[in-house]
Each structure stands twice: as structure tokens, then as C-alpha cells.
Amino acid sequence: MLEHIEAKGSTMIRWSTRWLTHSAAAALLAFSAGAHAAPAQLQQGQGYERLASPQPVSPKGKIVVTEFFWYNCPHCAAMEPLLDAWAKHLPSDVVLERVPVAFAPQFENQQKLYYALEALGKVDALQGAIFTAIHQQHTVLMNPEQMSNWLAARGVPRKSFLDAFNSFGVQMDAKRATQMVADYQISGVPTLVVQGTYALSASMPQTPDNPQVLQGVDQMIAKVRADMKH
């Protein structure tokens, strides 16, 4: 289920599209399956991996769950409604950070799209709609003009978006995201990392009664919380 990026340019886009109809629904079912089952305790290499070099997280004193995603990834699209629902019920000591990846230069604009929406306070309102537009409505959102036209139809003024998109802050956010992808050694999406240490993805081996990666994330949160008390 992992969207692993090996090709570049138009080949990459065709690869993603080819898998969309066959894999996105399957990914959604796999993520959803067993939502009410009691999950088995995951072990390293069976549900999660420990990063070779754990990374610092912010804010201090919080448990940070970092999602690495790509707008053109069908598996990220399948996970989005589940992650969104999960995030609405996070305990007060847990925060979710989203990090858009750009495995090739032509997708750097999508990194800036995310951070521009974040600067405008529009991520919660539009994150799911972007995935729907790309994967169900086949809308191309690759350059600022396409993005600003699409957003204008949803009430985001073109100038406001473009000013944010071209701002120094958004450019720095996009560079930081790319650095995080390198530091965390992210080679595919979606990947979730708990406290800069425990990485989980749908492609990793899952126990038969725990096929949902978010259950694994919950287990890692509990582990980190217990460790923080000692």
C-alpha cells in the first residue's frame, strides 16, 4: 500500500494514476478493517520501525505525530478521511503535524500549496477537498495558476493565496519539509512517525487482528507517554 516513488516526471504521474482505481479503495478498506477489534501489541519490524536517528520534535512536552504525505498519492487520499476523523479526537497531549513531500522538483509547488493554506488557516477546510479534486475529479493542481483558480471557486481570493504561496515564510516551510524528508529517511508515503522515533506505514507487516495503521500509532503514543513519565 505504500506509494513508493521511483520514477520521475510524467512517468511518475502515470504510475500513480494507474494504481488509483485498483489500490485506493483497497487501501481504504485495509485502513478501516478491524477498527473495532482489540489490536495486538506491535513489535519492532512488525507494524513499526524505530528510526536509525530519532529526530527532535516540537512543541516540547507534547507527543508529536508527523504524517508525511503527497497530494498525488492515492493511498494518502484513502487515508485522509480516516486520519481527519482520528485527529478530531486527539488527547490534549498529542499534536498532529503534516509534512508534504516532493520526491521530484515538479511537486514542490504542492508543498507550497499546503503551507500557503496553513498560513491562511484553510487546511482543515480544504485538505480533504484537494485529495477529492485530484483523485476523484481528476483536477490537475500542479502550478500556482491552477491552484489559485481552483481555490478561488472555493472562496479563497487569488491574491491572498498567491501572496501566501510566494511568501518567504512558505518557501522556508517547504525547504524545511524537504529537509525533514531527508532527515527522517522517508522513501514512500503515507508514513506516520510518532515523536520523531517510531515510523509506521500501511506497507509494513501488520498483525492479523491489527491491520489498521492508526491503531499502531495509538500504541506508539501510549508507549511514548509511558516513557515520558519515567
Side-chain angles (χ1 to χ4, degrees), residues 27-42:
L28 181 57
L29 288 173
F31 283 131
S32 302
H36 301 293
Q41 191 65 35
L42 300 186

Side-chain angles (χ1 to χ4, degrees), residues 80-132:
E80 175 55 31
L82 300 168
L83 185 67
D84 181 62
W86 176 84
K88 284 181 170 61
H89 301 283
L90 288 180
S92 60
D93 63 339
V94 179
V95 296
L96 173 64
E97 176 185 25
R98 300 176 187 267
V99 178
V101 308
F103 288 116
Q106 62 264 40
F107 295 107
E108 291 174 0
N109 281 337
Q110 290 187 342
Q111 287 181 307
K112 291 192 281 187
L113 166 62
Y114 174 81
Y115 287 117
L117 292 178
E118 186 176 63
L120 295 171
K122 296 293 185 180
V123 168
D124 289 345
L126 293 171
Q127 183 78 348
I130 293 172
F131 281 112
T132 297

